Amino acid sequence: MAPTTPQLRKLWAQFECDESRMVVIPFGPDKIRVAPPTAPVWEALAAVLQHHGYEIRTKDTDSYNCRSIKGTTERSLHSYGIALDVNWNTNPFIDHAGNRKVRFSPKSTQAERAEDVRLGLADTDMTEQMISDVVKIRTTNNKQALAWGGSWNSVKDSMHFEINVGPADLEGGIDESTVVGLNSFIAAAAARAPFAAVTTVAVPTVVAPASGNRFVVIARDGLKLRSGPSTEFGVVRTIAAGTAVNVLSRHDMWALVDLEGDGKADGFMSFPFLRATTADLTVGASDLAAAAPAFGDITGLVTPEMVKRMFPEATKLANIAANLPFVFSGLRARQLGDRAMVLMSVATIRAETEGFVPIDEGISRFNTLHSPFDLYEAGTRIGTNLGNTDPGDGPRFKGRGYIQLTGRDNYRRVGQQIGSNLIDRPQSANDPATAGLILAQFLRNKDSAIRTALANGDQLRARKLVNGGSHGFDRFKDTFDRGLAILPH
């Protein structure tokens, strides 16, 4: 039985009106802000709409919005990042008399169906087959992932899609066999350039900055990106301190900025909270270390699509979209958001956990002789090097997370550094937020040596500083080299 709206509020309470926890993901030509666990569901929805040739409009499509349901004091599900309105101008909210089923237009084109909506002959410009395919999307534990507002009997809210499950149901992701058109959707998404944002106002007559166009956010709690050059305009989202932006132009005390590095405007920021950087950022492997401090944080510029192009075809874009925010959050928390360390972290994930999810280490000849992970046990050569001292430490402190943190010593040391009791709760190393911070802390502990290795063009040395050996170096190098050509300068 599907959860009720009050039950969904409880299940997703941790995300209520917390914009900082939302992840920005592509949705057709648009960007939407959603709760991170839901990213694979919205990707599946976008795949179905694309399969049916349905055009998504950015001007009347929206997701996260901290607000109450009109006429009540109850929070809308948009406040939790688990609801999305699509093309509301042609999928209007209709409060009709009595109960009835949704009216679909029989017309063949979206424009013709939209005209039927305008004439009052239909409730939506979507098709019955399209919606049928949407509600077929299932989680891996066989639960319906999405509910559609057009199916409600008392009212029709055809623009509205909402998550139909709790966070725990999305831990295994989406059953891809239930998503029509997913393979072609992923292939197209990986091939195309990063999606461009759309501003809601025209660019005013302005004066270009005198000291170049590269700036870094210095507001301690982040800086609001607005749709226009004053506080009267709505907040698009908050950009974290340390994020690098390109200033396209000035309008009094406001800067029109480009977050993607593609020359297109994303919105306005208060100019006094931006600090100029004069670095020439055309860098290669040999000068990444030297350029990083001047370059600043690029995590706000790197999209899941960029990272997908650095990984093999089998790695799911949905996994990257769901987990990349946690990886970048960890890097920012340890002031490692520069290009060198973004490359280092992503390449490390490729070498350790190619699926781009935090996972348990698998059993292999390197860790198991007779029983699982007995080669890691106290008293063995490997176990002693890992600091394992008690019976059962081998499986208890096996590799976990994005970086495969292994051994009692590492769990204790890194756990203390990030303020988490990993000794008593070793499985928490697979929590995405914790795993992201573990990865960043591990890199921070070897920061100087890693940067020196990269400055000398020694990727193998950089890999060994993390892994202790050359395991996965071929995958590490492949991703690192791809990233040099893909990530923004």
Side-chain angles (χ1 to χ4, degrees), residues 238-257:
T238 300
I239 307 301
T243 301
V245 303
N246 295 306
V247 173
L248 300 176
S249 53
R250 287 277 303 279
H251 181 74
D252 295 329
M253 298 303 288
W254 292 85
L256 181 66
V257 300

Side-chain angles (χ1 to χ4, degrees), residues 191-239:
R192 66 176 175 256
F195 54 91
V198 178
T199 56
T200 59
V201 295
V203 179
T205 302
V206 293
V207 179
S211 58
N213 71 343
R214 197 68 173 175
F215 290 75
V216 174
V217 174
I218 61 172
R220 187 182 303 277
D221 297 323
L223 188 58
K224 288 181 172 58
L225 178 73
R226 295 183 179 273
S227 58
S230 81
T231 56
E232 296 180 358
F233 288 87
V235 175
V236 177
R237 59 186 170 113
T238 300
I239 307 301

Side-chain angles (χ1 to χ4, degrees), residues 153-220:
N153 287 327
S154 58
V155 298
K156 299 294 172 285
D157 196 2
S158 301
M159 71 183 83
H160 184 83
F161 296 88
E162 62 184 43
I163 299 298
N164 199 48
V165 294
D169 294 308
L170 293 175
E171 289 180 356
I174 293 298
D175 179 354
E176 295 185 356
S177 68
T178 66
V179 185
V180 173
L182 182 61
N183 290 337
S184 59
F185 173 82
I186 291 176
R192 66 176 175 256
F195 54 91
V198 178
T199 56
T200 59
V201 295
V203 179
T205 302
V206 293
V207 179
S211 58
N213 71 343
R214 197 68 173 175
F215 290 75
V216 174
V217 174
I218 61 172
R220 187 182 303 277

Side-chain angles (χ1 to χ4, degrees), residues 458-472:
D458 192 349
Q459 294 180 6
L460 180 58
R461 167 68 176 161
R463 172 64 184 149
K464 287 182 176 180
L465 286 166
V466 174
N467 178 253
S470 59
H471 172 72

Side-chain angles (χ1 to χ4, degrees), residues 70-278:
K70 187 175 181 180
T72 75
T73 58
E74 298 290 339
R75 290 285 192 201
S76 162
L77 294 185
H78 289 276
S79 302
Y80 303 83
I82 62 171
L84 173 67
D85 289 342
V86 178
N87 292 1
W88 56 70
N89 286 330
T90 53
N91 294 291
F93 180 86
I94 300 173
D95 188 359
H96 55 74
N99 293 334
R100 65 170 175 81
K101 292 184 177 181
V102 65
R103 299 173 301 173
F104 289 103
S105 168
K107 302 296 176 56
S108 59
T109 70
Q110 187 173 344
E112 289 174 318
R113 296 192 298 270
E115 178 64 11
D116 277 356
V117 173
R118 189 185 70 80
L119 295 173
L121 302 175
D123 300 317
T124 176
D125 69 349
M126 300 178 188
T127 68
E128 187 171 8
Q129 184 59 55
M130 184 189 309
I131 297 303
S132 175
D133 287 338
V134 168
V135 297
K136 287 177 183 176
I137 299 170
R138 315 291 289 190
T139 63
T140 53
N141 62 350
N142 198 33
K143 292 189 177 181
Q144 182 181 323
L146 282 168
W148 180 54
S151 65
W152 300 338
N153 287 327
S154 58
V155 298
K156 299 294 172 285
D157 196 2
S158 301
M159 71 183 83
H160 184 83
F161 296 88
E162 62 184 43
I163 299 298
N164 199 48
V165 294
D169 294 308
L170 293 175
E171 289 180 356
I174 293 298
D175 179 354
E176 295 185 356
S177 68
T178 66
V179 185
V180 173
L182 182 61
N183 290 337
S184 59
F185 173 82
I186 291 176
R192 66 176 175 256
F195 54 91
V198 178
T199 56
T200 59
V201 295
V203 179
T205 302
V206 293
V207 179
S211 58
N213 71 343
R214 197 68 173 175
F215 290 75
V216 174
V217 174
I218 61 172
R220 187 182 303 277
D221 297 323
L223 188 58
K224 288 181 172 58
L225 178 73
R226 295 183 179 273
S227 58
S230 81
T231 56
E232 296 180 358
F233 288 87
V235 175
V236 177
R237 59 186 170 113
T238 300
I239 307 301
T243 301
V245 303
N246 295 306
V247 173
L248 300 176
S249 53
R250 287 277 303 279
H251 181 74
D252 295 329
M253 298 303 288
W254 292 85
L256 181 66
V257 300
D258 161 25
L259 301 179
E260 307 292 342
D262 58 2
K264 293 182 172 62
D266 287 288
F268 290 83
M269 290 179 167
S270 177
F271 193 76
F273 290 95
L274 298 173
R275 182 179 63 207
T277 173
T278 58

